[in-house]
Amino acid sequence: MALSPDGSILYALDLAHFELVGIDTRSFAIKWRVGVGRLPFAVAVSPGGDKVYVSNVGTYQYSVIPGFDKTRVGETGLDFPPFATGQYQASRGTFSQGKQIPGLGDPNVPESNSVFVLDVKSSTPAVLARIRTGLAIGNQSMGGSSPGAVVAGRDRVYVSNSAQDSISILDVRRDRLICTIRLEPAPGVGGLRGFCRSASP
């Protein structure tokens, strides 16, 4: 959650529905909901209060298995994953255990492992930009960058790519990525868990 500079709006993330929610702090009523990226994780407000930044750590948006009935889980669910990440079937879908299972799509869409920039000056916020940070899933990275913590300044926004040990810097005026800085720990701690050698700028 984050508070607007004047204290009138509380910005809260609804992780289950991939939304940013604006709550009036005087009436405690929800003013609006805006769709953001996959599994929103952190939210920051610009010093002037005109923009909100949401980091999204997720990669996929899963759907319910066709014909699933929560009262008959054993009969209508799956007893084994229908595909593995990175397989063709994961992207396009497959037929498994008598069911047509939808695919997960491209893991590198703008909604995944990204920062959403929202204009909150008007009564209905609008998404200005979707900025992917860190290395894309592919030959250089088996998983997403998982942009977590986000800090908004007057000229720059700093984003921690928690799965790749790097910091991405965004341009506030142009709403785009400036650069990504790889964190280089001291030699004595370089081999500890959390240090990712593949996360180059």
Side-chain angles (χ1 to χ4, degrees):
M1 296 183 290
L3 195 62
S4 64
D6 64 3
S8 65
I9 302 293
L10 178 66
Y11 300 104
L13 297 177
D14 182 346
L15 280 66
H17 297 98
F18 296 175
E19 291 179 329
L20 174 68
V21 181
I23 302 170
D24 188 308
T25 58
R26 295 176 180 83
S27 65
F28 303 109
I30 293 176
K31 297 187 67 174
W32 45 258
R33 289 177 169 269
V34 176
V36 288
R38 295 175 177 173
L39 198 58
F41 183 82
V43 57
V45 184
S46 65
D50 57 331
K51 290 183 179 180
V52 169
Y53 302 87
V54 176
S55 63
N56 305 291
V57 299
T59 299
Y60 298 111
Q61 183 169 352
Y62 298 92
S63 57
V64 177
I65 299 168
F68 176 74
D69 182 348
K70 64 181 179 181
T71 65
R72 298 184 299 125
V73 174
E75 301 168 50
T76 61
L78 298 176
D79 56 18
F80 196 79
F83 41 65
T85 300
Q87 290 183 333
Y88 174 84
Q89 294 88 342
S91 175
R92 302 290 183 168
T94 188
F95 191 79
S96 176
Q97 300 177 49
K99 303 174 185 293
Q100 184 62 46
I101 308 300
L104 301 176
D106 183 353
N108 294 315
V109 294
E111 292 77 16
S112 74
N113 298 286
S114 62
V115 174
F116 271 43
V117 183
L118 296 101
D119 179 352
V120 293
K121 293 190 298 292
S122 64
S123 58
T124 305
V127 177
L128 297 176
R130 300 166 178 85
I131 307 169
R132 288 183 49 80
T133 64
L135 294 172
I137 295 175
N139 294 333
Q140 291 183 295
S141 176
M142 296 301 292
S145 59
S146 295
V150 56
V151 177
R154 296 191 182 280
D155 299 312
R156 300 285 185 267
V157 174
Y158 302 90
V159 184
S160 170
N161 298 309
S162 57
Q164 295 180 348
D165 292 336
S166 64
I167 303 291
S168 288
I169 303 175
L170 313 181
D171 185 318
V172 167
R173 293 179 178 82
R174 299 182 180 181
D175 293 326
R176 69 181 187 184
L177 179 69
I178 296 174
C179 66
T180 297
I181 301 171
R182 176 181 171 180
L183 301 179
E184 293 282 2
V189 296
L192 298 179
R193 182 181 296 274
F195 175 58
C196 179
R197 296 184 180 276
S198 66
S200 57

